[in-house]
């Protein structure tokens, strides 16, 4: 059976079938895409690099990054919804940290990669 899309015929249908069986489902790909869309923002990356160093409250992050607290809180909410940061309440304060070690690994690897690219 010949696999076609538009006017393109498959050169190696067996390769296509092998790759198709190994690809994640569309829902998983959409989740990963959304995850990286959130990471693809300069402000959010600054927040993540700050939180990589230390758990912080939104007010302290806003001072560190010279931003309004409401702007920081908005970004933190988006990152929390995408499982990049988590919140911990201590009395009246809410402290934010990176969700898990995978987030640390992703941003560190990205920085290493970009440093390598610039060499």
């Amino acid at each position: 059976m010949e696999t076609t899309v538009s006017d393109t015929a498959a050169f190696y249908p067996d390769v296509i079938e092998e790759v198709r069986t190994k690809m994640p489902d569309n829902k998983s790909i959409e989740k990963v895409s959304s995850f990286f869309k959130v990471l693809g923002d300069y402000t959010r990356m600054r927040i993540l690099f700050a939180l990589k160093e230390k758990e912080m409250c939104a007010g302290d992050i806003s001072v560190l990054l010279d931003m309004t607290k409401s702007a920081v809180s908005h970004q933190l909410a988006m990152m929390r919804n995408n499982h990049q940061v988590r919140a911990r309440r201590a009395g009246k304060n809410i402290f934010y940290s990176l969700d898990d070690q995978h987030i640390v690994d992703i941003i560190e690897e990205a920085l290493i990669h970009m440093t390598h690219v610039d060499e």
Side-chain angles (χ1 to χ4, degrees):
M1 180 175 110
E2 187 173 297
T3 304
T4 61
V5 175
S6 183
D7 62 346
T8 305
F11 289 100
Y12 304 98
D14 53 327
V15 172
I16 292 170
E17 288 308 312
E18 179 184 346
V19 171
R20 181 177 284 133
T21 64
K22 294 178 181 177
M23 289 195 50
D25 60 63
N26 289 338
K27 185 175 181 181
S28 296
I29 292 173
E30 181 59 38
K31 285 182 179 180
V32 172
S33 177
S34 294
F35 177 87
F36 280 108
K37 284 178 186 174
V38 173
L39 287 184
D41 178 84
Y42 175 77
T43 298
R44 290 188 288 267
M45 285 305 299
R46 291 176 69 211
I47 293 170
L48 290 174
F49 276 110
L51 294 177
K52 181 177 91 63
E53 299 304 322
K54 192 84 173 170
E55 177 184 69
M56 299 176 75
C57 65
D60 286 349
I61 295 170
S62 69
V63 170
L64 174 69
L65 302 181
D66 194 28
M67 297 174 60
T68 65
K69 186 177 175 185
S70 65
V72 168
S73 294
H74 172 76
Q75 299 300 335
L76 287 167
M78 184 179 295
M79 291 186 289
R80 191 172 175 195
N81 289 337
N82 281 276
H83 309 286
Q84 294 161 343
V85 301
R86 64 178 146 191
R88 176 184 67 82
R89 182 174 289 281
K92 293 182 179 182
N93 294 316
I94 299 175
F95 292 91
Y96 294 89
S97 60
L98 298 183
D99 191 63
D100 62 22
Q101 185 61 40
H102 295 112
I103 305 301
V104 175
D105 295 343
I106 289 166
I107 64 176
E108 285 180 347
E109 285 297 319
L111 187 60
I112 290 167
H113 175 71
M114 294 315 300
T115 303
H116 172 74
V117 168
D118 290 338
E119 293 176 350

